Coordinates of all heavy atoms in Angstrom, one line a residue:
L5 N 103.5 15.4 157.9 CA 104.7 16.0 158.7 C 106.0 15.4 158.2 O 107.0 15.8 158.8 CB 104.5 15.7 160.2 CG 103.3 16.5 160.9 CD1 103.2 16.1 162.3 CD2 103.6 18.0 160.8
V6 N 106.0 14.5 157.3 CA 107.2 14.0 156.7 C 107.2 14.2 155.2 O 106.2 14.2 154.6 CB 107.4 12.5 157.1 CG1 107.6 12.2 158.5 CG2 106.3 11.6 156.6
P7 N 108.4 14.4 154.6 CA 108.5 14.7 153.2 C 108.1 13.6 152.2 O 107.6 13.9 151.1 CB 110.0 15.1 153.0 CG 110.7 14.4 154.1 CD 109.7 14.4 155.3
V8 N 108.2 12.3 152.7 CA 107.8 11.2 151.8 C 107.0 10.2 152.7 O 107.2 10.2 153.9 CB 109.1 10.5 151.2 CG1 109.8 11.4 150.2 CG2 110.0 10.0 152.3
E9 N 106.2 9.4 152.0 CA 105.4 8.5 152.7 C 106.3 7.4 153.4 O 107.2 6.9 152.8 CB 104.4 7.8 151.8 CG 103.5 6.9 152.4 CD 102.4 6.3 151.4 OE1 102.0 7.0 150.4 OE2 102.0 5.2 151.7
E10 N 105.9 7.1 154.6 CA 106.6 6.0 155.3 C 105.6 4.9 155.5 O 104.5 5.1 156.2 CB 107.1 6.5 156.7 CG 108.1 7.6 156.7 CD 109.5 6.9 156.4 OE1 109.8 5.8 156.7 OE2 110.3 7.6 155.7
P11 N 105.8 3.7 155.1 CA 104.9 2.5 155.3 C 104.6 2.3 156.7 O 105.5 2.3 157.6 CB 105.6 1.4 154.7 CG 106.6 1.9 153.7 CD 107.1 3.3 154.3
G12 N 103.3 2.2 157.0 CA 102.8 1.9 158.4 C 102.9 3.1 159.4 O 102.6 3.0 160.5
V13 N 103.2 4.3 158.9 CA 103.4 5.5 159.7 C 102.6 6.6 159.2 O 102.6 7.0 158.0 CB 104.9 6.0 159.8 CG1 105.0 7.2 160.6 CG2 105.8 4.9 160.3
E14 N 101.7 7.2 160.1 CA 100.9 8.4 159.7 C 101.1 9.5 160.7 O 100.7 9.3 161.9 CB 99.4 8.0 159.6 CG 99.0 6.9 158.6 CD 97.5 6.6 158.7 OE1 96.6 7.5 158.8 OE2 97.3 5.3 158.9
W15 N 101.7 10.5 160.3 CA 102.0 11.7 161.1 C 100.9 12.7 160.7 O 100.7 12.9 159.5 CB 103.3 12.3 160.9 CG 104.4 11.7 161.6 CD1 105.4 10.9 161.1 CD2 104.8 11.9 163.0 NE1 106.3 10.6 162.1 CE2 106.0 11.1 163.3 CE3 104.2 12.6 164.1 CZ2 106.5 11.1 164.5 CZ3 104.7 12.5 165.3 CH2 105.9 11.8 165.5
M16 N 100.3 13.4 161.6 CA 99.4 14.5 161.3 C 99.2 15.5 162.4 O 99.6 15.2 163.5 CB 98.0 13.9 160.9 CG 97.3 13.2 162.1 SD 96.0 12.1 161.6 CE 96.9 10.5 161.5
V17 N 98.8 16.7 162.0 CA 98.5 17.7 163.0 C 96.9 17.7 162.9 O 96.3 17.8 161.8 CB 99.0 19.1 162.6 CG1 98.5 20.1 163.5 CG2 100.5 19.1 162.6
I18 N 96.3 17.6 164.1 CA 94.8 17.6 164.1 C 94.4 18.9 164.7 O 95.1 19.4 165.6 CB 94.2 16.4 164.8 CG1 94.7 16.3 166.3 CG2 94.6 15.1 164.1 CD1 93.9 15.3 167.1
R19 N 93.3 19.5 164.2 CA 92.8 20.7 164.7 C 91.3 20.5 164.8 O 90.6 20.1 163.9 CB 93.1 21.8 163.7 CG 94.5 22.2 163.7 CD 94.8 23.4 162.8 NE 96.2 23.7 162.7 CZ 97.1 23.2 161.8 NH1 96.6 22.4 160.9 NH2 98.4 23.5 161.9
Y20 N 90.8 20.8 166.0 CA 89.4 20.7 166.3 C 88.9 22.0 166.8 O 89.3 22.4 167.9 CB 89.1 19.6 167.3 CG 89.3 18.2 166.8 CD1 89.9 17.2 167.6 CD2 88.8 17.7 165.6 CE1 90.1 16.0 167.2 CE2 89.0 16.4 165.1 CZ 89.7 15.5 165.9 OH 89.8 14.3 165.5
P21 N 87.9 22.6 166.1 CA 87.3 23.8 166.7 C 86.4 23.4 167.9 O 86.1 22.2 168.0 CB 86.5 24.5 165.6 CG 86.3 23.3 164.7 CD 87.4 22.3 164.8
P22 N 85.9 24.4 168.7 CA 85.0 24.0 169.8 C 83.8 23.2 169.2 O 83.2 23.5 168.2 CB 84.5 25.4 170.3 CG 85.7 26.2 170.0 CD 86.3 25.8 168.7
G23 N 83.5 22.1 169.9 CA 82.3 21.2 169.6 C 82.7 20.2 168.5 O 81.8 19.3 168.3
A24 N 83.9 20.2 168.0 CA 84.2 19.2 166.9 C 84.5 17.8 167.6 O 84.9 17.7 168.7 CB 85.4 19.6 166.2
V25 N 84.2 16.8 166.8 CA 84.4 15.4 167.2 C 85.0 14.6 166.1 O 84.7 14.9 164.9 CB 83.0 14.8 167.7 CG1 82.0 14.7 166.6 CG2 83.2 13.4 168.3
S26 N 85.8 13.6 166.4 CA 86.5 12.8 165.4 C 85.6 12.0 164.6 O 85.8 11.7 163.4 CB 87.6 11.9 166.1 OG 87.0 11.1 166.9
S27 N 84.5 11.5 165.2 CA 83.5 10.6 164.5 C 82.3 10.5 165.4 O 82.4 10.7 166.7 CB 84.0 9.2 164.2 OG 84.4 8.6 165.4
V28 N 81.1 10.4 164.8 CA 79.9 10.4 165.6 C 79.9 9.2 166.5 O 79.6 9.3 167.7 CB 78.7 10.3 164.7 CG1 77.4 10.1 165.5 CG2 78.6 11.5 163.8
K29 N 80.3 8.0 166.0 CA 80.4 6.8 166.8 C 81.9 6.6 167.2 O 82.8 7.0 166.5 CB 79.8 5.6 166.1 CG 78.3 5.8 165.9 CD 77.6 4.6 165.2 CE 78.3 3.5 164.5 NZ 77.4 2.6 163.8
M30 N 82.1 5.8 168.2 CA 83.5 5.5 168.6 C 84.1 4.6 167.4 O 83.4 3.9 166.8 CB 83.6 4.8 169.9 CG 83.2 5.7 171.0 SD 83.2 5.0 172.7 CE 84.9 4.6 172.9
Q31 N 85.4 4.9 167.2 CA 86.1 4.1 166.1 C 87.1 3.2 166.6 O 87.6 3.4 167.8 CB 86.7 5.1 165.1 CG 87.6 6.1 165.8 CD 88.1 7.2 164.8 OE1 88.0 7.0 163.5 NE2 88.7 8.2 165.3
R32 N 87.6 2.3 165.8 CA 88.7 1.5 166.1 C 89.4 1.1 164.8 O 88.8 1.0 163.8 CB 88.3 0.3 167.0 CG 87.2 -0.5 166.5 CD 86.6 -1.4 167.4 NE 87.2 -2.7 167.3 CZ 87.0 -3.7 168.1 NH1 86.2 -3.6 169.2 NH2 87.5 -4.9 167.9
H33 N 90.7 0.8 165.0 CA 91.5 0.3 163.8 C 92.7 -0.4 164.3 O 93.0 -0.3 165.5 CB 91.8 1.5 162.9 CG 92.5 2.6 163.6 ND1 93.9 2.7 163.9 CD2 92.0 3.8 164.1 CE1 94.1 3.8 164.5 NE2 93.0 4.5 164.7
G34 N 93.5 -1.0 163.4 CA 94.7 -1.6 163.9 C 95.7 -0.6 164.3 O 95.6 0.6 164.2
G35 N 96.8 -1.1 165.0 CA 97.9 -0.3 165.4 C 97.8 0.4 166.7 O 97.0 0.0 167.6
R36 N 98.7 1.4 166.8 CA 98.7 2.2 168.0 C 98.6 3.7 167.7 O 99.1 4.1 166.6 CB 100.0 2.0 168.8 CG 100.0 0.6 169.5 CD 101.2 0.4 170.4 NE 101.2 1.4 171.6 CZ 100.5 1.3 172.7 NH1 99.6 0.3 172.8 NH2 100.6 2.1 173.6
D37 N 97.9 4.4 168.5 CA 97.8 5.9 168.4 C 98.7 6.5 169.5 O 98.8 6.1 170.6 CB 96.4 6.4 168.6 CG 95.5 6.2 167.3 OD1 95.9 5.4 166.5 OD2 94.5 6.8 167.3
Y38 N 99.3 7.6 169.1 CA 100.1 8.5 170.0 C 99.7 9.9 169.7 O 99.7 10.3 168.6 CB 101.7 8.3 169.7 CG 102.1 6.9 169.8 CD1 102.1 6.0 168.8 CD2 102.8 6.5 171.0 CE1 102.6 4.7 168.9 CE2 103.2 5.2 171.2 CZ 103.1 4.3 170.1 OH 103.6 3.0 170.2
G39 N 99.5 10.6 170.8 CA 99.1 12.0 170.6 C 99.8 13.0 171.6 O 100.0 12.6 172.8
L40 N 100.0 14.2 171.2 CA 100.6 15.3 172.0 C 99.7 16.5 171.8 O 99.7 17.0 170.6 CB 102.0 15.5 171.7 CG 102.7 16.7 172.3 CD1 102.8 16.6 173.8 CD2 104.1 17.0 171.7
V41 N 99.1 17.1 172.8 CA 98.3 18.2 172.7 C 99.2 19.5 172.7 O 100.0 19.6 173.6 CB 97.2 18.3 173.8 CG1 96.4 19.6 173.7 CG2 96.2 17.1 173.6
L42 N 99.0 20.3 171.8 CA 99.8 21.6 171.7 C 99.0 22.8 172.3 O 99.6 23.7 172.8 CB 100.2 21.9 170.3 CG 101.0 20.7 169.6 CD1 101.2 21.1 168.1 CD2 102.3 20.5 170.3
K43 N 97.7 22.8 172.0 CA 96.8 23.9 172.3 C 95.5 23.4 172.7 O 94.9 22.5 172.0 CB 96.8 24.8 171.1 CG 95.9 26.0 171.2 CD 96.0 26.8 169.9 CE 94.9 27.7 169.7 NZ 94.8 28.4 168.4
G44 N 94.8 24.0 173.6 CA 93.5 23.7 174.0 C 93.4 22.4 174.9 O 94.4 22.0 175.4
H45 N 92.1 21.9 175.0 CA 91.9 20.7 175.8 C 91.1 19.7 175.0 O 90.0 20.0 174.5 CB 91.2 21.1 177.1 CG 92.0 21.8 178.1 ND1 92.2 23.2 178.0 CD2 92.8 21.4 179.1 CE1 93.0 23.6 178.9 NE2 93.4 22.5 179.7
L46 N 91.7 18.5 174.9 CA 91.2 17.5 174.0 C 90.6 16.4 174.9 O 91.3 15.8 175.8 CB 92.3 16.8 173.1 CG 91.8 15.8 172.2 CD1 90.8 16.3 171.2 CD2 93.1 15.2 171.5
T47 N 89.4 16.0 174.8 CA 88.7 14.9 175.5 C 88.9 13.7 174.7 O 88.5 13.7 173.4 CB 87.3 15.2 175.8 OG1 87.2 16.4 176.6 CG2 86.6 14.1 176.6
I48 N 89.4 12.6 175.2 CA 89.6 11.4 174.5 C 88.8 10.3 175.4 O 89.0 10.0 176.5 CB 91.0 10.9 174.6 CG1 91.8 12.0 173.8 CG2 91.2 9.6 173.8 CD1 93.3 11.8 173.8
K49 N 87.8 9.7 174.7 CA 87.0 8.7 175.2 C 87.7 7.4 174.7 O 87.8 7.1 173.5 CB 85.6 8.7 174.8 CG 84.7 7.7 175.4 CD 83.2 7.8 175.2 CE 82.4 6.8 175.9 NZ 81.0 7.0 175.6
L50 N 88.2 6.5 175.6 CA 88.9 5.3 175.3 C 88.2 4.2 176.1 O 88.4 4.1 177.3 CB 90.4 5.5 175.8 CG 91.4 4.4 175.4 CD1 91.4 4.2 173.9 CD2 92.8 4.8 175.9
G51 N 87.5 3.4 175.3 CA 86.7 2.3 176.0 C 85.6 3.0 176.9 O 84.9 3.8 176.3
F52 N 85.7 2.7 178.1 CA 84.7 3.3 179.0 C 85.2 4.5 179.9 O 84.6 4.9 180.8 CB 84.1 2.2 180.0 CG 83.3 1.2 179.2 CD1 83.9 0.0 179.0 CD2 82.1 1.4 178.8 CE1 83.2 -1.0 178.3 CE2 81.4 0.5 178.1 CZ 82.0 -0.8 177.8
V53 N 86.4 4.9 179.5 CA 87.1 5.9 180.4 C 87.3 7.2 179.5 O 87.7 7.0 178.3 CB 88.5 5.4 180.9 CG1 89.2 6.4 181.7 CG2 88.3 4.1 181.6
E54 N 87.2 8.4 180.1 CA 87.5 9.6 179.4 C 88.7 10.3 180.0 O 88.9 10.3 181.3 CB 86.3 10.6 179.4 CG 85.2 10.1 178.5 CD 84.1 11.2 178.3 OE1 84.2 12.3 179.0 OE2 83.2 11.0 177.6
Y55 N 89.5 10.9 179.2 CA 90.7 11.7 179.6 C 90.5 13.0 179.0 O 90.1 13.2 177.9 CB 92.0 11.0 179.1 CG 92.2 9.6 179.5 CD1 91.7 8.5 178.8 CD2 92.8 9.3 180.7 CE1 91.9 7.2 179.2 CE2 93.0 7.9 181.2 CZ 92.5 6.9 180.4 OH 92.7 5.6 180.8
V56 N 91.0 14.0 179.8 CA 91.0 15.4 179.2 C 92.5 15.8 179.2 O 93.2 15.8 180.3 CB 90.2 16.4 180.0 CG1 90.3 17.8 179.4 CG2 88.7 15.9 180.0
L57 N 93.1 16.0 178.0 CA 94.5 16.4 177.9 C 94.6 17.8 177.6 O 93.9 18.4 176.7 CB 95.1 15.6 176.8 CG 95.1 14.0 176.8 CD1 95.8 13.4 175.7 CD2 95.6 13.5 178.1
G58 N 95.5 18.5 178.2 CA 95.8 19.9 178.0 C 97.2 20.1 177.3 O 97.8 19.1 177.0
P59 N 97.6 21.3 177.0 CA 98.9 21.5 176.4 C 100.1 20.9 177.1 O 100.2 20.9 178.3 CB 99.0 23.1 176.5 CG 97.6 23.6 176.5 CD 96.9 22.5 177.4
G60 N 100.8 20.1 176.3 CA 102.0 19.4 176.9 C 101.6 17.9 177.3 O 102.5 17.2 177.5
D61 N 100.3 17.6 177.4 CA 99.9 16.2 177.8 C 100.0 15.3 176.6 O 99.7 15.7 175.4 CB 98.5 16.2 178.3 CG 98.4 16.9 179.7 OD1 99.4 17.1 180.4 OD2 97.2 17.3 180.0
S62 N 100.3 14.0 176.8 CA 100.3 13.1 175.7 C 99.6 11.8 176.1 O 99.3 11.6 177.3 CB 101.8 12.8 175.4 OG 102.5 12.2 176.5
I63 N 99.4 11.0 175.1 CA 98.7 9.7 175.3 C 99.2 8.7 174.2 O 99.6 9.1 173.2 CB 97.1 9.9 175.2 CG1 96.4 8.7 175.8 CG2 96.7 10.3 173.8 CD1 94.9 8.9 176.0
A64 N 99.1 7.4 174.7 CA 99.4 6.4 173.7 C 98.4 5.2 174.0 O 98.2 5.0 175.2 CB 100.9 5.9 173.8
F65 N 97.9 4.6 173.0 CA 96.9 3.5 173.3 C 96.9 2.6 172.1 O 97.2 2.9 170.9 CB 95.6 4.1 173.7 CG 94.9 5.0 172.7 CD1 94.1 4.4 171.7 CD2 95.2 6.3 172.7 CE1 93.5 5.3 170.8 CE2 94.5 7.2 171.8 CZ 93.7 6.7 170.8
D66 N 96.3 1.3 172.4 CA 96.1 0.4 171.4 C 94.8 0.8 170.6 O 93.8 1.0 171.2 CB 95.8 -1.0 172.0 CG 95.5 -2.1 171.1 OD1 95.0 -1.9 170.0 OD2 95.8 -3.3 171.5
A67 N 95.0 1.1 169.3 CA 93.9 1.7 168.6 C 92.7 0.7 168.2 O 91.7 1.1 167.7 CB 94.4 2.3 167.3
T68 N 92.9 -0.6 168.6 CA 91.8 -1.5 168.5 C 90.8 -1.3 169.6 O 89.6 -1.8 169.5 CB 92.2 -3.0 168.5 OG1 92.9 -3.3 169.7 CG2 93.2 -3.3 167.4
T69 N 91.1 -0.5 170.6 CA 90.2 -0.1 171.7 C 89.3 1.0 171.1 O 89.8 2.0 170.5 CB 90.9 0.4 172.9 OG1 91.8 -0.6 173.4 CG2 90.0 0.8 174.0
P70 N 88.0 0.9 171.2 CA 87.1 1.9 170.6 C 87.5 3.3 171.3 O 87.7 3.3 172.4 CB 85.7 1.5 171.1 CG 85.8 0.0 171.3 CD 87.2 -0.2 171.8
H71 N 87.5 4.3 170.4 CA 88.0 5.6 170.9 C 87.3 6.7 170.1 O 86.8 6.5 168.9 CB 89.5 5.7 170.8 CG 90.1 5.5 169.5 ND1 90.3 4.3 169.0 CD2 90.6 6.4 168.5 CE1 90.9 4.3 167.8 NE2 91.0 5.6 167.5
Q72 N 87.3 7.9 170.7 CA 86.7 9.1 170.1 C 87.4 10.3 170.7 O 87.7 10.4 171.9 CB 85.2 9.2 170.4 CG 84.5 10.4 169.8 CD 83.1 10.4 170.3 OE1 82.9 10.6 171.6 NE2 82.1 10.3 169.5
L73 N 87.7 11.3 169.8 CA 88.4 12.5 170.2 C 87.4 13.6 170.0 O 86.7 13.7 169.0 CB 89.6 12.8 169.4 CG 90.6 11.6 169.1 CD1 91.7 12.1 168.2 CD2 91.1 11.1 170.4
R74 N 87.4 14.6 171.0 CA 86.4 15.7 170.8 C 86.9 16.9 171.6 O 87.7 16.8 172.5 CB 85.0 15.3 171.2 CG 84.8 15.0 172.7 CD 83.3 14.7 173.0 NE 83.2 14.6 174.3 CZ 83.3 13.6 175.1 NH1 83.7 12.4 174.6 NH2 83.1 13.7 176.4
N75 N 86.4 18.0 171.1 CA 86.7 19.3 171.8 C 85.5 19.8 172.5 O 84.6 20.4 171.8 CB 87.2 20.3 170.8 CG 87.6 21.7 171.4 OD1 87.4 21.9 172.6 ND2 88.1 22.6 170.6
D76 N 85.5 19.7 173.8 CA 84.3 20.1 174.6 C 84.5 21.5 175.1 O 83.7 22.1 175.8 CB 84.2 19.2 175.8 CG 83.7 17.8 175.5 OD1 83.1 17.6 174.4 OD2 84.0 16.9 176.3
G77 N 85.7 22.1 174.8 CA 86.1 23.4 175.3 C 85.6 24.6 174.4 O 84.8 24.4 173.5
E78 N 86.1 25.8 174.7 CA 85.7 27.0 174.1 C 86.7 27.5 173.1 O 86.5 28.6 172.5 CB 85.2 28.1 175.1 CG 84.0 27.6 175.9 CD 83.6 28.6 177.0 OE1 84.1 29.7 177.0 OE2 82.7 28.3 177.7
T79 N 87.9 26.9 173.1 CA 89.0 27.3 172.2 C 89.4 26.2 171.3 O 89.1 25.0 171.6 CB 90.2 27.8 173.1 OG1 90.7 26.7 173.8 CG2 89.8 29.0 173.9
D80 N 90.1 26.5 170.3 CA 90.5 25.4 169.3 C 91.5 24.5 170.0 O 92.3 24.8 170.9 CB 91.3 26.0 168.1 CG 90.3 26.7 167.2 OD1 89.1 26.6 167.3 OD2 90.8 27.4 166.2
V81 N 91.5 23.2 169.6 CA 92.5 22.2 170.0 C 93.4 22.0 168.8 O 93.0 21.8 167.7 CB 91.8 20.9 170.4 CG1 92.8 19.8 170.5 CG2 91.0 21.1 171.6
E82 N 94.7 21.8 169.1 CA 95.7 21.5 168.1 C 96.6 20.4 168.8 O 97.0 20.6 169.9 CB 96.5 22.7 167.7 CG 97.5 22.4 166.6 CD 98.1 23.6 166.1 OE1 97.4 24.5 165.5 OE2 99.4 23.8 166.2
A83 N 96.8 19.4 168.0 CA 97.7 18.3 168.6 C 98.4 17.6 167.4 O 98.0 17.7 166.3 CB 96.8 17.2 169.2
V84 N 99.5 17.0 167.8 CA 100.3 16.2 166.8 C 99.9 14.8 167.1 O 99.9 14.3 168.3 CB 101.8 16.4 167.0 CG1 102.6 15.5 166.1 CG2 102.2 17.8 166.8
W85 N 99.6 14.0 166.0 CA 99.1 12.7 166.2 C 99.9 11.7 165.3 O 100.3 12.1 164.2 CB 97.6 12.7 165.7 CG 96.8 11.6 166.5 CD1 96.4 10.4 166.1 CD2 96.4 11.8 167.9 NE1 95.8 9.8 167.1 CE2 95.7 10.6 168.2 CE3 96.5 12.8 168.8 CZ2 95.1 10.4 169.4 CZ3 95.9 12.6 170.1 CH2 95.2 11.4 170.4
L86 N 100.2 10.6 165.8 CA 100.9 9.5 165.2 C 100.1 8.2 165.2 O 99.7 7.8 166.3 CB 102.3 9.3 165.8 CG 103.2 8.1 165.3 CD1 103.5 8.3 163.8 CD2 104.4 8.0 166.2
V87 N 99.9 7.6 164.1 CA 99.2 6.3 164.0 C 100.3 5.4 163.4 O 100.7 5.6 162.3 CB 97.9 6.4 163.2 CG1 97.3 5.0 163.1 CG2 97.0 7.4 163.7
L88 N 100.6 4.3 164.1 CA 101.5 3.3 163.6 C 100.7 2.0 163.3 O 99.9 1.6 164.0 CB 102.5 2.9 164.7 CG 103.5 3.9 165.0 CD1 104.5 3.4 166.1 CD2 104.3 4.3 163.8
D89 N 100.9 1.5 162.1 CA 100.4 0.2 161.7 C 98.9 0.2 161.7 O 98.3 -0.8 162.1 CB 100.9 -0.9 162.4 CG 102.5 -1.0 162.3 OD1 103.0 -0.8 161.2 OD2 103.2 -1.3 163.2
R90 N 98.2 1.3 161.2 CA 96.7 1.3 161.2 C 96.1 0.1 160.5 O 95.0 -0.4 160.9 CB 96.3 2.6 160.4 CG 94.8 2.7 160.3 CD 94.3 3.8 159.4 NE 94.7 5.1 159.9 CZ 94.0 5.9 160.7 NH1 92.8 5.4 161.1 NH2 94.4 7.0 161.1
H91 N 96.7 -0.4 159.4 CA 96.1 -1.5 158.7 C 96.6 -2.9 159.1 O 96.4 -3.8 158.4 CB 96.4 -1.3 157.2 CG 95.8 0.1 156.7 ND1 94.5 0.4 156.7 CD2 96.4 1.2 156.4 CE1 94.3 1.6 156.3 NE2 95.4 2.2 156.1
S92 N 97.3 -2.9 160.2 CA 97.7 -4.3 160.7 C 96.4 -5.1 161.2 O 95.5 -4.5 161.6 CB 98.7 -4.1 161.9 OG 98.1 -3.6 163.0
V93 N 96.6 -6.3 161.2 CA 95.5 -7.2 161.6 C 95.9 -7.8 163.0 O 97.0 -8.3 163.1 CB 95.2 -8.3 160.6 CG1 94.2 -9.3 161.0 CG2 94.9 -7.8 159.2
G94 N 94.9 -7.8 163.9 CA 95.2 -8.4 165.2 C 95.8 -7.5 166.1 O 96.1 -6.9 166.9

Protein backbone atom coordinates (compact mmCIF):
# COMPACT_ATOMS: atom_id res chain seq x y z
CA LEU A 1 0.00 0.00 0.00
CA VAL A 2 3.02 2.30 -0.04
CA PRO A 3 5.25 3.06 -3.05
CA VAL A 4 8.54 2.25 -1.27
CA GLU A 5 9.48 -0.01 1.60
CA GLU A 6 9.30 1.56 5.05
CA PRO A 7 11.49 -0.10 7.72
CA GLY A 8 9.37 -1.72 10.42
CA VAL A 9 6.07 -1.01 8.62
CA GLU A 10 3.99 -3.56 6.71
CA TRP A 11 0.77 -2.33 5.06
CA MET A 12 -1.42 -4.88 3.34
CA VAL A 13 -4.89 -5.60 2.11
CA ILE A 14 -6.01 -9.02 3.29
CA ARG A 15 -8.72 -11.00 1.55
CA TYR A 16 -10.21 -14.18 2.96
CA PRO A 17 -12.84 -16.19 1.11
CA PRO A 18 -15.41 -18.08 3.22
CA GLY A 19 -13.68 -20.71 5.36
CA ALA A 20 -10.19 -19.18 5.01
CA VAL A 21 -7.87 -18.94 8.02
CA SER A 22 -4.60 -17.03 8.53
CA SER A 23 -2.80 -20.12 9.86
CA VAL A 24 -3.72 -23.57 11.13
CA LYS A 25 -2.23 -22.83 14.55
CA MET A 26 -2.34 -19.52 16.36
CA GLN A 27 0.64 -17.33 15.48
CA ARG A 28 2.61 -14.64 17.25
CA HIS A 29 5.36 -12.24 16.31
CA GLY A 30 6.93 -9.01 17.50
CA GLY A 31 5.29 -5.61 17.21
CA ARG A 32 1.67 -4.52 17.00
CA ASP A 33 -1.12 -5.36 14.57
CA TYR A 34 -3.80 -2.90 13.47
CA GLY A 35 -6.75 -3.90 11.30
CA LEU A 36 -9.77 -2.26 9.70
CA VAL A 37 -12.47 -4.46 8.14
CA LEU A 38 -13.84 -3.11 4.86
CA LYS A 39 -16.13 -5.97 3.82
CA GLY A 40 -17.53 -9.13 5.41
CA HIS A 41 -17.05 -10.36 8.97
CA LEU A 42 -13.61 -11.32 10.29
CA THR A 43 -13.26 -13.50 13.38
CA ILE A 44 -10.11 -12.78 15.37
CA LYS A 45 -9.02 -15.17 18.07
CA LEU A 46 -6.72 -13.26 20.40
CA GLY A 47 -5.43 -15.34 23.28
CA PHE A 48 -8.54 -16.96 24.77
CA VAL A 49 -11.01 -14.37 23.45
CA GLU A 50 -12.73 -14.16 20.06
CA TYR A 51 -13.93 -10.99 18.36
CA VAL A 52 -16.08 -10.69 15.26
CA LEU A 53 -15.45 -7.50 13.32
CA GLY A 54 -17.73 -6.19 10.60
CA PRO A 55 -17.36 -3.39 8.05
CA GLY A 56 -15.97 -0.27 9.73
CA ASP A 57 -14.77 -2.13 12.84
CA SER A 58 -11.11 -1.96 13.79
CA ILE A 59 -8.71 -3.64 16.19
CA ALA A 60 -5.21 -3.08 17.56
CA PHE A 61 -3.24 -5.56 19.64
CA ASP A 62 0.19 -6.65 20.83
CA ALA A 63 1.19 -9.22 18.21
CA THR A 64 3.16 -11.28 20.75
CA THR A 65 -0.28 -12.44 21.94
CA PRO A 66 -1.17 -15.65 20.06
CA HIS A 67 -3.70 -14.80 17.35
CA GLN A 68 -5.55 -16.22 14.37
CA LEU A 69 -7.77 -14.57 11.75
CA ARG A 70 -10.54 -16.42 9.94
CA ASN A 71 -13.63 -16.00 7.84
CA ASP A 72 -16.48 -18.01 9.35
CA GLY A 73 -19.03 -16.25 7.15
CA GLU A 74 -20.52 -16.88 3.73
CA THR A 75 -19.05 -13.82 1.96
CA ASP A 76 -15.50 -12.65 1.32
CA VAL A 77 -13.66 -10.62 3.95
CA GLU A 78 -11.50 -7.66 2.96
CA ALA A 79 -9.48 -5.65 5.46
CA VAL A 80 -6.61 -3.21 5.60
CA TRP A 81 -3.89 -4.47 7.92
CA LEU A 82 -0.85 -2.75 9.41
CA VAL A 83 1.95 -4.55 11.22
CA LEU A 84 4.49 -2.39 13.04
CA ASP A 85 7.90 -3.71 14.07
CA ARG A 86 7.17 -7.39 13.32
CA HIS A 87 10.82 -8.29 13.83
CA SER A 88 11.30 -6.47 17.13
CA VAL A 89 12.41 -8.48 20.12
CA GLY A 90 10.48 -8.24 23.36
